Amino acid sequence: MKKVTMADVAKLANVSKSTVSQYLNKRYEYMSEETRKRIAQAIEELGYQPNVIARSLKQKTTATIGVIVFNMLHMLTTQVLHAIEEECQKRGFQVIVCNSGDDPEKEKKYVEMLLAKQVDGLIVFPTGKNDDVYRRLVAEQFPLVFVDRMVPGVEADSVLLDNLGAAEMAVDYFASYGYNRIAIVTPPLVPYNVPRMERFEGFRAAMEKRGFEVGDQNVIAAEPAALPGELKKRFMEPERPNALFAINDLTLMGILRFVKETGIRVPDEVAIINIDDVPFADIYTPALTTIAQPTFAMGKKAAERVFEQMDRKRVDQPKVFRFSPTLMERTSIRREKK
């Protein structure tokens, strides 16, 4: 079967090849609606498939954005990805998604692979390492945006939650209902993980501001799978926590497993707040009080900034965009004002 060409489409639509080319590249400024319809009908009738490689060489673009995430299991990741993909589709761009598993070596290899595929920009949920890789990209003015985390020493656009504000929101809400033995539940605290450290610092500052004691008894840090065991140890102590602040959805899962295994009653024996408004929050019993991140707005902003860099419209310095959290009040806290 003879391959359908652009010339065949132009002939059937009764337009020039250049007009078909403009249509394929979404340059409709001087094209009537009738002409667009004729070209679309001709493409469909002939089954024409543009030569993507040839177009990318000519235009010096592959119309692709590379996205590297650190954990596909995070609710934040999937929702932000959805918004990025929607924004890219509007502009005729495809998204290539890679999962680093929070492994700096995998992350570095994915960056190299995506650059070899000549993606037009990168949106990265970074591990917090590989600063040398990202500094080189910034020096070369390659479009780059970080999401949820920043990389110390790398000046690049970053889109993330107001983590200090989110932690303070949790402590203040607990305190307003008389809770004073509040513990933060977190994965291991490491200096290169910006949101983790910021949420811890926000928690500590809010506790001190309220005059609450802050020490080892207030910090339960372990990988999510080990959290139920760590919580069991802490709850055997005489001055056990009466409120738990989970810094993300994965630590929340560790708390809920602990609650199920021990039969501890929520909120009668312990209250819970977590960052990330998990989908089951309002159908769990009791319904979970959460702090929601504006994930879709964050994803949209990340995509917009990478396109601004690609278009070279941006003349300002790299910016950090902090998004405000929202408290979702439910029943995992006894709401009796003290």
Side-chain angles (χ1 to χ4, degrees), residues 8 28 42 54 57 74 80 97 107 131 143 153 197 218 223 244 265-266 268 296 303:
D8 296 326
Y28 307 132
L57 289 171
H74 268 298
V80 171
V97 182
E107 177 186 42
D131 51 302
M197 296 305 298
N218 302 96
E223 295 296 344
L244 297 175
R265 291 169 297 147
V266 180
D268 296 335
F296 290 99

Side-chain angles (χ1 to χ4, degrees), residues 88-135:
C88 287
Q89 267 204 339
K90 287 179 191 173
R91 301 167 190 255
F93 274 67
Q94 303 299 313
V95 175
I96 301 174
V97 182
C98 305
N99 181 24
S100 73
D102 224 4
D103 180 340
E105 278 304 309
K106 279 180 73 175
E107 177 186 42
K108 184 177 181 180
K109 287 177 182 176
Y110 279 137
V111 170
E112 292 168 351
M113 180 270 287
L114 290 167
L115 292 176
K117 288 185 178 294
Q118 296 185 308
V119 295
D120 297 303
L122 282 176
I123 298 174
V124 184
F125 297 65
T127 60
K129 297 187 176 180
N130 289 316
D131 51 302
D132 55 332
V133 172
Y134 294 120
R135 272 200 297 266

Side-chain angles (χ1 to χ4, degrees), residues 236-285:
M236 289 175 67
E237 298 171 4
E239 282 291 299
R240 70 189 198 182
N242 60 7
L244 297 175
F245 166 46
I247 73 159
N248 60 30
D249 56 339
L250 297 184
T251 52
L252 170 68
M253 297 306 294
I255 292 173
L256 296 183
R257 287 192 187 95
F258 157 73
V259 167
K260 182 180 179 181
E261 290 169 9
T262 59
I264 284 178
R265 291 169 297 147
V266 180
D268 296 335
E269 295 180 84
V270 68
I272 298 172
I273 294 179
N274 71 282
I275 293 178
D276 292 325
D277 191 33
V278 291
F280 58 85
D282 58 352
I283 57 174
Y284 185 83
T285 303

Side-chain angles (χ1 to χ4, degrees), residues 142-284:
F142 187 84
L144 172 68
V145 178
F146 293 138
V147 178
D148 187 56
R149 302 175 181 177
M150 296 180 286
V151 179
V154 180
E155 293 188 4
D157 280 349
S158 302
V159 176
L160 62 165
L161 184 69
D162 174 7
N163 292 300
L164 298 175
E168 184 175 15
M169 181 181 285
V171 172
D172 286 353
Y173 192 71
F174 278 135
S176 71
Y177 289 106
Y179 293 94
N180 56 5
R181 297 193 309 278
I182 307 166
I184 186 171
V185 185
T186 173
L189 295 167
V190 289
Y192 56 81
N193 189 307
V194 171
R196 203 176 293 178
M197 296 305 298
E198 287 184 344
R199 290 171 195 181
F200 173 69
E201 290 301 328
F203 169 79
R204 183 166 61 183
M207 292 283 282
E208 290 173 349
K209 183 179 174 183
R210 287 275 182 173
F212 295 157
E213 188 178 351
V214 182
D216 290 344
Q217 73 279 5
N218 302 96
V219 182
I220 302 168
E223 295 296 344
L227 277 175
E230 290 300 314
L231 285 160
K232 285 175 187 175
K233 291 178 193 173
R234 190 61 50 90
F235 273 69
M236 289 175 67
E237 298 171 4
E239 282 291 299
R240 70 189 198 182
N242 60 7
L244 297 175
F245 166 46
I247 73 159
N248 60 30
D249 56 339
L250 297 184
T251 52
L252 170 68
M253 297 306 294
I255 292 173
L256 296 183
R257 287 192 187 95
F258 157 73
V259 167
K260 182 180 179 181
E261 290 169 9
T262 59
I264 284 178
R265 291 169 297 147
V266 180
D268 296 335
E269 295 180 84
V270 68
I272 298 172
I273 294 179
N274 71 282
I275 293 178
D276 292 325
D277 191 33
V278 291
F280 58 85
D282 58 352
I283 57 174
Y284 185 83

Side-chain angles (χ1 to χ4, degrees), residues 23 81 226:
Y23 174 87
L81 263 177

